[in-house]
Structure formats: C-alpha cells, structure tokens
C-alpha cells in the first residue's frame, strides 16, 4: 500500500472470533447455485496473476477497469507483504457470479477472497458462508470503517457488522454530452423524465455517423440489462412482487416501463443493443458515439480519464430519469469478502484491507491518475484536493444519487424484499437471468414486450409460490394446524 515517506506500517492484530450466523434459507440458496457449473475455476482460472513462494491466496474478481488497475498495482502490495502470493481469477461479470456463488455455497474452498456485492452479502452472512469482517476492520490500525459511505456500509452489514467491505460504491445517473447539447441548442433538465430522454435522443441521434441518441444495456443477465431496467420499472410504479408475494411482472406499470425502455433503445440506441453490456456502452460513450448514457455512477472513472476517453471534460451528469417517483437511482457496491472456508484468513484480510483502505485511493491517484480512483466507497475520497478537482463535474451528482437510493425514494409501492435493482432473495440470480434473457430478446426484436413479460411472469410465479407458502405458514397459529 502507499504510505508517505517515514510513515509507520499499520499494525494488524488477530481479530476476535466472529459469532456464528444463522443459516436462513441456506438449503434453498445452495440448491439454486449448485446447478451452476464450477467448470475449471480453481487456481488456474482466467486471469491468474502472481509471483513468489509465500503463502498463497486466491482472489476471485470481476473483470472491470478498476480491478485491472488493482492487478497492475500488485508490486505495491508485494513490497509491503512479501510473504503473501496473490493469484487472481479474473472473469466477466456473469461468469464470475456463477462460479463464485457455486464455490462459496458448496464450501468448495477454491477462493480466499471473493468479489461480491450488497446483493449477496446479507444472505451469505446469514448462511455463515463469509467471515464477519467488523473485528478485522476495527482492529486494523488506521483502517477507519466509519469512513465508508453510510448507505454502502449499511448495505454490506448485518446487525451492524460488516461482512464485506466496499472496493467501490455506485448509484446510477444519466451522463450526457454537454458539447453536443450546446451545439444543438438543447438543455438537459435538472431532473429528466423518460419522455425527456426519448425526445432528446430522437433529436440528437445521427445513425449515418454511427452516433446514437442514447446507449442502454440490452445484454441478458440480472447484473446487465436488469440492473437499469429494474430502476425504470420502479419509477413507473412497478414491482417484481407485491407484499403478498404475488408476481407482478405482467402488471400495467411494468409493461409500460419495459416498453418505454425497449422502444428507447431500439429506436434511438446503439446498433446491436441486445448484446451491449456495461463495458460496451462505456466504450461507445467514451469514444464519442452516443449523446447520452444511463448507467452506473462508477462510469466516471473511465469517462473522465483523458488517457482513454475522448469525452473527458465534455460530459455532464444528472439524476436517473424518473416517471412517477422523486428519484430512480440504484445502490450497488462491488465489495470484497472472505469465505469461511479460507485457510488463509489473516493473509486474505491483509489483501482486502490493502485494496479498500484510504491509502489505496491515494496510490491509484498518484500512480495511475485521479480520474481512475474507485468512487463511492469512502467519504474521505471526496476531500482529497486532487480528486475534488477532477471530480468537480460528478462528485455531488454521485453522492446525491447514492443518498437518494432508497426504496422510499425510488419505489411507489411497498415490497417484501430488500434491493432496488435486484430482489434480495437467493433465487434471484436465476430468476433475474431468465427474465433478462426475455428482455434481451425483446430488445433484439425476436419477441414482443408482452410475450417477454408473459414468460417472465411464469418464471416469477414459480419463485413466488415458495414465499407465499412460507408467509402462510408463518401466519398459522400452530404449524400444520387449521387457519
């Protein structure tokens, strides 16, 4: 890790034993993920990086620009921890989710550190699959867990204890080309609606020049197209399930939301939208081929990096487009956790704390660039003068979006599940993937929105039945007795 010259190394004390967690719905979660093949994950998985003959830890990560930066800085970690040999398994998001989940749920023990999110963290903590990191965080000198953005810290905690720690945090907002808008004599509203977005996209698109009015994800996957689309469903008043655990994917509100999203990207979006994920839209927008892009606030690390973006300094940011709610952003964090099966927990924490510490933020800024600093994890990041300067266009927008990312601000109807852009139940990885496949087919023009939602509703009803039965059983005065 980076330390100013002459600064002492941190003292890391062995933490107290974490208390055992309940195993709520562990069997159901394991059953849902065992079907996902582990394939040839193990230590020789894609993207393995390492060196040395010390204690080896295997770190499973999602392949994205911020994680590639972390890999490129490993000489810094090795200089401070010469006795630890880090091997990376770097995989695309959908593949990483499946393999990490299958390994952790079945106690496979392949990994010592895993990259997960605020979707998995509470459930895996309850199931006893990951370590309580609060003792480690509190007893690591200078680590300062209270510095994490409050909404992110809460999302990664159970009973006030952190079970994963954020590498970066994000909400979602709408990026737009200020120069293109100015040239066209158009103005972006402070709080755009989806009608505004459609009208602006139609005005600004130029297919003959390969310039789309907007870029939106269409790639199948609950962490791909369903992430932004779920927020659109929310702001139109839709739900995945109502409070009685009735599936609601065929409701008028959801149909209107999905039709709006599909029409927007089909009529004004990028070519091949059905195969476009976050990375594809990032490339397209950063290379100057789109007027707008609605997606994760973490996009700024790449968009505002002049070394890789042609639109750095030319982009404005406004809150996620709304319809009936005051806000519509999501809350998400890529975070690091230690599986309970790891036999190298202390070494794993050495790596986890290095990569999520204030000093790592400083290291990225000084070694790479301040534009590439992982955003949205620590409040102190936004107090660094160099970062405050480069993030002037988006710092307030990012923190505002993260602060507004609550169910109360982004949903019209109460729901029985945690989550904004996901449903916080074990079955959602499979359900969200299946529904995402249907939506992607609609984006591709292979089926209508009604057809896609009709099939999606059947998938959701299968999941809902289990929870309705549990709800009914919980309301029985005596298990198995008459009501």
């Amino acid at each position: 890790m980076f330390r100013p010259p002459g600064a002492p190394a941190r003292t890391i004390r062995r933490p107290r034993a974490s208390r055992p967690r309940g195993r709520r719905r562990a069997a159901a979660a394991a059953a849902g993920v065992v079907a996902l093949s582990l394939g040839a994950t193990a230590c020789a998985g894609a993207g393995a990086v390492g060196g040395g003959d010390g204690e080896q830890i295997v770190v499973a990560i999602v392949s994205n620009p911020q994680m590639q930066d972390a890999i490129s800085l490993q000489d810094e970690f090795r200089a401070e921890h010469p006795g630890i040999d880090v091997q990376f398994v770097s995989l695309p998001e959908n593949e990483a989710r499946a393999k990490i989940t299958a390994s952790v749920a079945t106690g496979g023990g392949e990994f010592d550190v895993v990259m997960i999110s605020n979707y998995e963290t509470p459930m895996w903590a309850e199931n006893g699959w990951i370590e309580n990191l609060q003792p480690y965080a509190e007893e690591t000198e200078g680590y300062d867990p209270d510095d994490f953005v409050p909404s992110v810290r809460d999302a990664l905690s159970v009973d006030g204890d952190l079970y994963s720690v954020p590498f970066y945090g994000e909400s979602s907002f709408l990026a737009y080309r200020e120069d293109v808008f100015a040239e066209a004599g158009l103005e972006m509203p402070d709080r755009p609606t989806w009608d505004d977005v459609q009208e602006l996209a139609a005005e600004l698109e130029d297919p003959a020049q390969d310039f789309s009015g907007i870029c939106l994800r269409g790639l199948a996957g609950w962490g791909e197209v369903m992430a932004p689309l779920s927020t659109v469903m929310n702001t139109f008043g839709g739900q995945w399930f109502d409070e009685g655990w009735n599936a609601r994917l065929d409701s008028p509100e959801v149909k209107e939301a999905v039709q709006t999203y599909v029409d927007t990207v089909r009529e004004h979006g990028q070519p091949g939208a059905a195969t476009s994920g976050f990375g594809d839209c990032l490339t397209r927008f950063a290379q100057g081929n789109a007027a707008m892009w609605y997606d994760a606030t973490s996009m700024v690390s790449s968009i505002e990096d002049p070394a890789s973006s042609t639109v750095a300094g030319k982009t404005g940011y406004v809150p996620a487009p709304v319809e009936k709610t005051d806000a519509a952003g999501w809350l998400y964090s890529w975070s690091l956790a230690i599986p309970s099966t790891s036999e190298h927990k202390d070494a794993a924490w050495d790596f986890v704390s290095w990569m999520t510490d204030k000093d790592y933020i400083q290291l990225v800024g000084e070694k790479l660039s301040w534009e590439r600093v992982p955003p949205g994890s620590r409040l102190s990041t936004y107090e660094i003068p160099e970062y405050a300067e480069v993030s002037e266009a988006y710092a307030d927008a990012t923190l505002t979006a993260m602060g507004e990312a609550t169910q109360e601000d982004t949903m019209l109807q109460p729901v029985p599940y945690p989550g904004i852009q996901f449903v916080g139940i074990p079955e959602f990885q499979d359900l969200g993937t299946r529904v995402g496949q249907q939506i992607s087919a609609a984006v591709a023009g292979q089926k209508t929105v009604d057809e896609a939602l009709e099939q999606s509703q059947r998938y959701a009803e299968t999941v809902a039945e289990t929870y309705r039965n549990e709800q009914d059983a919980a309301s029985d005065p005596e298990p198995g007795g008459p009501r």
Side-chain angles (χ1 to χ4, degrees):
M1 111 191 28
F2 169 83
R3 288 197 304 274
R10 290 182 318 201
T11 300
I12 299 179
R13 296 186 291 274
R14 193 175 190 84
R16 64 184 180 270
S18 57
R19 62 183 182 276
R21 310 301 306 168
R23 294 187 174 268
R24 181 175 58 86
R25 298 194 59 78
V33 297
V34 166
L36 301 169
S37 171
L38 274 172
T41 306
C43 297
V49 177
D53 301 317
E55 182 179 11
Q56 185 180 96
I57 61 171
V58 181
V59 178
I61 59 172
V62 174
S63 181
N64 62 31
Q66 289 90 351
M67 290 307 303
Q68 296 308 310
D69 284 345
I71 292 174
S72 74
L73 293 170
Q74 282 311 290
D75 284 347
E76 303 290 333
F77 176 77
R78 294 188 189 106
E80 185 172 341
H81 301 278
I84 301 175
D85 177 23
V86 181
Q87 297 286 327
F88 287 96
V89 176
S90 179
L91 298 164
E93 181 172 333
N94 285 345
E95 187 177 352
R97 287 186 183 281
K99 292 188 174 183
I100 290 171
T101 300
S103 174
V104 174
T106 58
E110 289 90 351
F111 306 128
D112 299 290
V113 176
V114 291
M115 176 166 265
I116 58 175
S117 70
N118 50 311
Y119 164 70
E120 293 94 347
T121 298
M123 291 184 291
W124 291 15
E126 291 289 344
N127 292 340
W129 294 348
I130 52 178
E131 288 295 294
N132 183 347
L133 299 183
Q134 190 69 28
Y136 287 91
E138 290 178 355
E139 297 175 20
T140 298
E141 186 177 330
Y143 187 68
D144 193 8
D146 292 335
D147 182 47
F148 291 131
V149 173
S151 57
V152 172
R153 184 181 65 236
D154 292 346
L156 301 177
S157 299
V158 174
D159 297 333
D161 286 356
L162 283 160
Y163 277 79
S164 66
V165 287
F167 177 56
Y168 69 75
E170 65 183 33
S171 183
S172 54
F173 54 27
L174 181 67
Y176 68 100
R177 288 282 301 281
E178 290 181 317
D179 57 332
V180 171
F181 272 65
E183 184 177 346
L186 297 173
E187 186 172 342
M188 173 65 77
D190 292 337
R191 290 270 179 173
T193 66
W194 277 99
D195 284 342
D196 293 331
V197 168
Q198 287 182 314
E199 292 174 8
L200 291 166
E203 184 74 20
L204 294 170
E205 66 181 350
D206 187 355
Q209 299 298 317
D210 191 28
F211 188 81
S212 56
I214 193 168
C215 201
L216 294 170
R217 300 192 208 186
L219 181 64
W222 75 267
E224 286 289 358
V225 66
M226 297 314 299
L229 180 55
S230 288
T231 70
V232 183
M233 290 160 51
N234 293 339
T235 194
F236 274 78
Q239 308 153 283
W240 282 79
F241 304 97
D242 64 22
E243 285 194 298
W245 280 106
N246 299 295
R248 298 284 294 159
L249 293 183
D250 62 353
S251 69
E253 295 84 358
V254 170
K255 286 184 179 181
E256 185 181 6
V258 175
Q259 192 70 62
T260 297
Y261 188 93
V262 170
D263 287 348
T264 301
V265 71
R266 281 185 59 80
E267 295 171 9
H268 311 299
Q270 71 279 14
T275 59
S276 293
F278 175 85
D280 302 290
C281 281
L282 173 60
T283 299
R284 186 170 186 83
F285 191 86
Q287 294 307 307
N289 296 117
M292 295 179 287
W293 178 27
Y294 170 53
D295 216 301
T297 57
S298 60
M299 67 171 73
V300 297
S301 295
S302 297
I303 286 179
E304 298 297 341
D305 181 4
S308 60
S309 172
T310 65
V311 300
K314 303 176 183 179
T315 302
Y317 305 90
V318 291
V322 295
E323 181 67 16
K324 299 176 182 177
T325 58
D326 294 331
W330 68 61
L331 181 67
Y332 195 78
S333 174
W334 278 122
S335 60
L336 298 177
I338 300 175
S340 297
T341 53
S342 171
E343 297 181 356
H344 309 281
K345 293 183 177 67
D346 288 346
W349 174 252
D350 284 343
F351 175 80
V352 168
S353 60
W354 173 81
M355 208 171 120
T356 58
D357 191 85
K358 296 176 186 178
D359 291 342
Y360 180 82
I361 302 294
Q362 196 79 24
L363 175 65
V364 172
E366 296 191 357
K367 289 285 187 177
L368 302 177
S369 74
W370 288 103
E371 292 85 357
R372 287 161 70 173
V373 161
S377 61
R378 287 184 172 273
L379 294 172
S380 58
T381 300
Y382 296 86
E383 299 171 358
I384 301 172
E386 295 91 340
Y387 187 72
E389 182 178 351
V390 302
S391 67
E392 183 178 2
Y394 55 83
D396 287 345
T398 297
L399 292 175
T400 296
M402 294 181 73
E404 293 179 344
T406 67
Q407 288 189 342
E408 291 74 19
D409 288 332
T410 62
M411 294 182 177
L412 285 183
Q413 305 295 332
V415 293
Y417 51 84
I420 296 174
Q421 84 278 34
F422 57 77
V423 179
I425 58 175
E427 296 87 347
F428 186 68
Q429 283 203 47
D430 181 62
L431 173 61
T433 296
R434 289 174 180 267
V435 173
Q437 291 167 345
Q438 296 298 311
I439 301 302
S440 187
V443 171
Q446 296 169 353
K447 56 176 56 181
T448 67
V449 167
D450 283 349
E451 289 170 341
L453 291 177
E454 182 180 349
Q455 181 62 61
S456 298
Q457 174 73 4
R458 287 197 288 268
Y459 293 146
E461 272 296 337
T462 300
V463 171
E465 184 177 357
T466 299
Y467 287 87
R468 282 199 302 270
N469 290 340
E470 289 184 355
Q471 200 172 61
D472 291 344
S475 66
D476 280 345
E478 295 181 10
R483 293 193 300 274

